[in-house]
Amino acid sequence: MNQVPPRTIVSRRSRPAKSPLSREAIVEAALAILEQQGEGGLSMRNIAKRLDTGAASLYVYFANTDELHAALLDHVFSEVVLPAQQGNWRDRLKDLLISYHGVLEARRGLAQLALSSIASGPNSLRIWECILRLLSEGGVGATTAAWGVDLLVLYVTSIAAEQALHTTDDRGLTRVASVLSAVTADEFPHLHRLRGDMISDDGPNRSQWAIDVIIDGLSARSPPA
Amino acid sequence: MNQVPPRTIVSRRSRPAKSPLSREAIVEAALAILEQQGEGGLSMRNIAKRLDTGAASLYVYFANTDELHAALLDHVFSEVVLPAQQGNWRDRLKDLLISYHGVLEARRGLAQLALSSIASGPNSLRIWECILRLLSEGGVGATTAAWGVDLLVLYVTSIAAEQALHTTDDRGLTRVASVLSAVTADEFPHLHRLRGDMISDDGPNRSQWAIDVIIDGLSARSPPA
DNA sequence: ACCTGAACACCGTTCAAGT
DNA sequence: ACCTGAACACCGTTCAAGT
């Protein structure tokens, strides 16, 4: 009976007490904005506004926009699932890349962001290491593996970015589609014949297929001369 | 003797007579800026300044920045060399992609621009058609070919963009390099062992190798189920 | 050390007014 | 029809001044 009940008036405040700034809090706010407003909302001023402060305050924690973006990317890369130890190396590599792709796809604008930044945070390192391990397990030569990591990550990021461009930008795919449908069999016979296939099935099938293509290519390749 | 000699004073003016605006002239100006100042200089206001006018004038010819960028891209794609009719299809496809890569590489910031726009101008169509022709010549299935076009173009663009990021941004590669050199053999054994290879030889060898990888993968693949 | 308002030098886009 | 200055609503980054 000694306990004083919490004063509900405090927790009823429409705005919670302003939490202190930190790299973590800023990244969190940026992530929330990315989800709600897409890449366009990801400005210093806008992120600062959500934290009830001015843009200048963010410069205490990040030297510039690039650095904040890199931190944001590494933060979401923590969600990438590294495959278990057992099983075929190809399947596991594929799983890893699909997980990576899924993380980029899950948040609007994230893939575009990943394309324009060079991530090299701790979670990127984890992922690179895992890909290297799987490739060397598969007997891929050292140089091929080293170059392959870069290639695989870049490639999956590009696929995600392109799909995002197609799905979010109404302009994008529609314009390509209308251009393709206007193509004549005389001028561009192959385009004309395959124009249906070129736009079709922009979903998981297509990205899985694309990942298969590059893994096939990599494992077929001997180290560069 | 009736002819009046041209008044040289006119042609001696330090600034040539202001040429009339046109889509062509605007794209030309944008291209010149891209070469001199990189992607950062490619703003409506800056392009307009080079043409001795205000940004508003450009909106007579282009609905927005995206449209101007697309026109700029298609303009440079006219330089892509389509391979001759004779010869092995793989070699010809490789030549085409290397030419495409070279065009993107030749101008600072162009590859980044290509990644963020969806080009669908006449020169893109020419290139797509040619790739389709080569792939079907190589016996690649219809659906694989249709998806492959997208994939190949995207892939080569990404490679060019990444190389540009590494070469122009001093920050970029240097940061990755310093992160990699700080990696310990205990935490990340594979990264540690291959860290030298991962940064090495970011030149034509690497992009040609990357192009080989994907062509191998594509030609090994049967059409998706 | 951390935070901030104000300032500087920029953006894309629109629009009323001119030719 | 084409062109334009001015305005609107934004940017990133810096810096002197506050705590």
Side-chain angles (χ1 to χ4, degrees):
Chain A
M1 296 276 180
N2 293 358
Q3 290 187 349
V4 178
R7 299 219 287 161
T8 46
I9 187 98
V10 171
S11 56
R12 238 200 257 131
R13 279 195 293 187
S14 62
R15 218 181 241 284
K18 195 174 154 180
S19 47
L21 284 182
S22 67
R23 285 179 68 99
E24 188 68 18
I26 294 170
V27 166
E28 218 75 70
L31 200 54
I33 288 174
L34 189 67
E35 273 168 354
Q36 286 160 23
Q37 301 165 239
E39 213 190 348
L42 222 52
S43 74
M44 293 304 233
R45 292 175 121 101
N46 203 30
I47 296 167
K49 203 193 299 170
R50 169 175 283 257
L51 295 165
D52 264 323
T53 182
S57 305
L58 306 186
Y59 287 83
V60 176
Y61 299 93
F62 296 99
N64 51 43
T65 316
D66 274 359
E67 223 184 63
L68 199 160
H69 287 178
L72 175 59
L73 276 175
D74 206 73
H75 184 261
V76 297
F77 285 162
S78 71
E79 295 171 11
V80 173
V81 177
L82 301 190
Q85 292 285 357
Q86 71 265 22
N88 178 288
W89 72 271
R90 283 186 54 123
D91 290 342
R92 287 191 283 148
L93 177 54
K94 209 179 143 181
D95 285 347
L96 169 57
L97 294 179
I98 288 173
S99 169
Y100 192 85
H101 181 271
V103 167
L104 290 178
E105 200 183 28
R107 286 173 179 97
R108 197 152 55 110
L110 192 58
Q112 289 290 337
L113 196 67
L115 268 186
S116 56
S117 296
I118 303 184
S120 58
N123 283 312
S124 289
L125 289 182
R126 264 193 332 125
I127 294 167
W128 293 349
E129 172 73 11
C130 185
I131 295 176
L132 277 182
R133 178 161 43 80
L134 290 170
L135 285 176
S136 80
E137 204 181 307
V140 173
T143 317
T144 308
W147 292 9
V149 176
D150 231 31
L151 204 58
L152 287 170
V153 170
L154 174 64
Y155 180 77
V156 173
T157 308
S158 306
I159 293 169
E162 208 207 16
Q163 286 180 349
L165 210 61
H166 280 178
T167 46
T168 59
D169 271 22
D170 284 338
R171 297 165 286 176
L173 192 51
T174 316
R175 195 170 60 195
V176 174
S178 78
V179 167
L180 279 181
S181 67
V183 147
T184 65
D186 282 354
E187 257 193 316
F188 300 113
H190 295 89
L191 269 179
H192 184 77
R193 185 163 49 87
L194 297 172
R195 67 192 189 282
D197 290 306
M198 289 191 64
I199 314 173
S200 76
D201 198 2
D202 231 308
N205 270 348
R206 196 156 173 169
S207 28
Q208 291 208 20
W209 172 82
I211 289 172
D212 274 332
V213 165
I214 202 168
I215 298 182
D216 274 350
L218 262 186
S219 54
R221 204 99 288 260
S222 32
Chain B
M1 296 277 179
N2 292 357
Q3 290 188 346
V4 178
R7 301 219 286 162
T8 47
I9 186 97
V10 171
S11 56
R12 240 201 256 130
R13 280 195 293 188
S14 61
R15 219 181 241 281
K18 194 174 153 180
S19 46
L21 285 182
S22 66
R23 284 179 68 98
E24 188 68 17
I26 294 169
V27 166
E28 218 77 68
L31 200 54
I33 288 174
L34 189 67
E35 273 167 354
Q36 287 160 22
Q37 301 165 239
E39 213 191 348
L42 222 53
S43 74
M44 294 303 234
R45 290 174 123 102
N46 203 28
I47 296 166
K49 203 194 299 172
R50 171 176 283 257
L51 294 164
D52 263 323
T53 183
S57 305
L58 306 186
Y59 286 83
V60 177
Y61 299 94
F62 297 98
N64 50 44
T65 317
D66 274 359
E67 224 185 62
L68 199 161
H69 288 176
L72 174 60
L73 275 175
D74 206 73
H75 185 260
V76 298
F77 285 161
S78 70
E79 294 171 11
V80 174
V81 178
L82 301 189
Q85 292 285 357
Q86 71 265 18
N88 176 289
W89 73 271
R90 283 184 55 120
D91 291 341
R92 287 191 284 149
L93 178 54
K94 208 178 143 182
D95 285 347
L96 170 57
L97 293 179
I98 289 173
S99 169
Y100 193 85
H101 181 271
V103 167
L104 289 179
E105 199 183 29
R107 286 173 180 97
R108 195 150 59 109
L110 193 57
Q112 288 290 339
L113 196 67
L115 268 186
S116 56
S117 296
I118 302 184
S120 59
N123 283 312
S124 289
L125 289 182
R126 263 192 335 125
I127 293 167
W128 294 350
E129 172 74 10
C130 186
I131 295 175
L132 278 182
R133 178 159 43 79
L134 291 171
L135 286 178
S136 79
E137 204 181 306
V140 173
T143 316
T144 308
W147 291 9
V149 175
D150 232 29
L151 203 60
L152 288 170
V153 169
L154 175 64
Y155 181 76
V156 173
T157 308
S158 307
I159 294 169
E162 208 209 15
Q163 286 179 350
L165 211 59
H166 280 178
T167 47
T168 58
D169 271 22
D170 283 339
R171 297 165 287 175
L173 192 50
T174 317
R175 196 171 57 193
V176 174
S178 78
V179 167
L180 279 181
S181 68
V183 148
T184 65
D186 282 353
E187 257 193 317
F188 301 113
H190 295 91
L191 269 179
H192 184 77
R193 185 165 49 88
L194 296 173
R195 65 191 191 283
D197 290 306
M198 288 191 66
I199 315 173
S200 77
D201 198 2
D202 230 309
N205 269 350
R206 195 155 172 170
S207 30
Q208 291 208 19
W209 172 82
I211 289 171
D212 275 332
V213 165
I214 201 167
I215 297 181
D216 274 350
L218 262 186
S219 54
R221 203 105 278 265
S222 32

